[in-house]
Amino acid sequence: MSSARKRIWGWYAFDWASQPYNTLLITFIFAPYVGELMQDGARAQAAWGFGIGAAGIIIALLAPVLGAIADTSGNRMRFIRLFSVLYLIGSAGLWMAAPDSFNLPLTLFFFALGLIGMEFATIFINAMLPDLGPREEIGRISGTGWAIGYVGGLVTLVIMLFFFAESATTGKTFIGLDPALGLDADAREGTRFVGPLTAFWYALFMIPFFLWVRDPKPVKAAKGAVRTALRGLRRTLRRLPQTPSLFSYLGASMFYRDALNGIYAFGGIYAQGVLGWTVVDVGVFGIIAIITGALFAWLGGKADVRFGPGAVIKVSIAALTAVAIAIVFVSRDSLFGIALPEDSRAPDIAFYILGAVIGAAGGTLQSASRSMMVRQADPHRMTEAFGLYALSGKATSFLAPLLIGIVTAASGSQQIGVTPIIGLFILGLILLAWVKPNGDFST
């Protein structure tokens, strides 16, 4: 391959390598496992919300500062290496969540550490996107990257379901095997292996990234670079109202991405508590969502090129809002207000369908959002812009989990607890009305 093509494929490698944190830990394996250990769906959902919310506060405070420093002080690769170490330590540390010695604060600490590492590394990865091709190709490149990431998540999920994650009742995996590598099913070592597997997957598949991707920024930082970066960031924040399209887009994405992350973070633990699903059941749900996510992220990249990212974002939000409303009316006893017999499979089928829509709309939304940020940002301060983009995604990232945690704790109902997601999607959709297709910096 040419060096330019290698660089693109190396950049894709990050999506492939990092997606298991979202797929396996946040949503489909580890979160419902925590729910099983706590044996109280509402309490587990509240604790999960508070833990993710705390990590979100740290990310929101530091993301724009780190982005500004990287733009001014040179090499983005060193930041990626640093935060990759946090990713590895945090994910591998989840092995310690054993049933007979479960420590919730320690578990949430390791989870938050890995999440912070992944999110901060993503800032610098995303900032490289404009350098990978001309503007008209950015949507396609972004969509392909998301699709590749989803496939990576799917492969690791299948590996976990088939060979490691054991049922709490039978001790067998999805295909009826004992956990591989001689892991002890009674100690839930197969399911706990999700942490080390996530770390190993990242370490292995980041190799192409570090071999093929080169940062065009100078390696040596200029004297006083940090001070200059912080001054520039303050100036950018003061001038945001003078760039109304960027300002509105950051505000819109602040709400709708937080709502999407809420669905991802609580989908598995919701299904475990409301429908009584096992880790294996949630994993099957995940396979369906990831397949549609990969397919539609790729198709969304093509739609982005043809219709622009704005149209793709609006359609995706509308679909996700409908899903968020529908989820509230799915329970083991009733479906959209219709009472069901005790052994009915209708709620499970409905939730699988909703999962497919979440995967499809979520994949296109994330891909198009990254592409739209390239159009909205000042091309000379791209890493800072993606730091602000991370801020907009995390400034209220504690809000959805905390609101879900508070409403769930107050109501004692997981169904009522997830309703804040609906309002966040609607707020994001309203603010998109002030976003220009090509931003404030287009000529």
Side-chain angles (χ1 to χ4, degrees), residues 139-223:
R140 180 188 61 79
I141 294 172
S142 179
T144 302
W146 273 112
I148 289 173
Y150 272 114
V151 174
L154 174 62
V155 172
T156 54
L157 182 57
V158 169
I159 291 172
M160 278 299 303
L161 288 176
F162 282 22
F163 303 109
F164 293 101
E166 68 281 282
S167 167
T169 55
T170 66
K172 302 292 185 180
T173 69
F174 179 71
I175 57 176
L177 300 176
D178 292 325
L181 305 178
L183 297 175
D184 185 358
D186 292 334
R188 302 302 300 276
E189 289 183 350
T191 300
R192 288 159 50 202
F193 185 67
V194 69
L197 175 64
T198 300
F200 173 76
W201 186 271
Y202 184 85
L204 177 63
F205 290 107
M206 278 298 282
I207 294 173
F209 175 86
F210 289 118
L211 288 178
W212 294 345
V213 177
R214 294 292 179 267
D215 196 325
K217 298 292 182 182
V219 175
K220 187 175 180 180
K223 187 176 180 180

Side-chain angles (χ1 to χ4, degrees), residues 339-355:
L340 298 171
E342 186 176 340
D343 59 348
S344 175
R345 293 287 295 168
D348 305 290
I349 295 170
F351 213 71
Y352 283 134
I353 294 172
L354 293 174

Side-chain angles (χ1 to χ4, degrees), residues 248-260 309-322 325 365 369 372 421-436:
S248 298
Y249 180 63
L250 290 173
S253 69
M254 180 172 67
F255 291 115
Y256 74 67
R257 288 162 62 213
D258 190 21
L260 178 61
V312 176
I313 290 170
K314 291 173 184 175
V315 171
S316 300
I317 293 175
L320 288 164
T321 303
I325 294 171
L365 181 60
S369 296
M372 176 63 95
I421 289 173
I422 300 168
L424 292 171
F425 274 132
I426 293 173
L427 282 172
L429 195 58
I430 292 171
L431 286 173
L432 285 173
W434 287 272
V435 178
K436 299 176 184 176

Side-chain angles (χ1 to χ4, degrees), residues 351-416:
F351 213 71
Y352 283 134
I353 294 172
L354 293 174
V357 178
I358 290 171
T364 56
L365 181 60
Q366 292 178 102
S367 170
S369 296
R370 187 163 62 179
S371 172
M372 176 63 95
M373 189 62 221
V374 172
R375 297 186 181 216
Q376 300 297 317
D378 181 348
H380 301 295
R381 302 187 69 86
M382 192 58 67
T383 316
E384 178 186 276
F386 272 102
L388 292 173
Y389 179 67
L391 169 63
S392 75
K394 294 299 175 185
T396 57
S397 68
F398 62 89
L399 183 60
L402 288 180
L403 283 175
I404 291 172
I406 291 169
V407 175
T408 302
S411 66
S413 167
Q414 286 187 263
Q415 290 171 274
I416 295 173

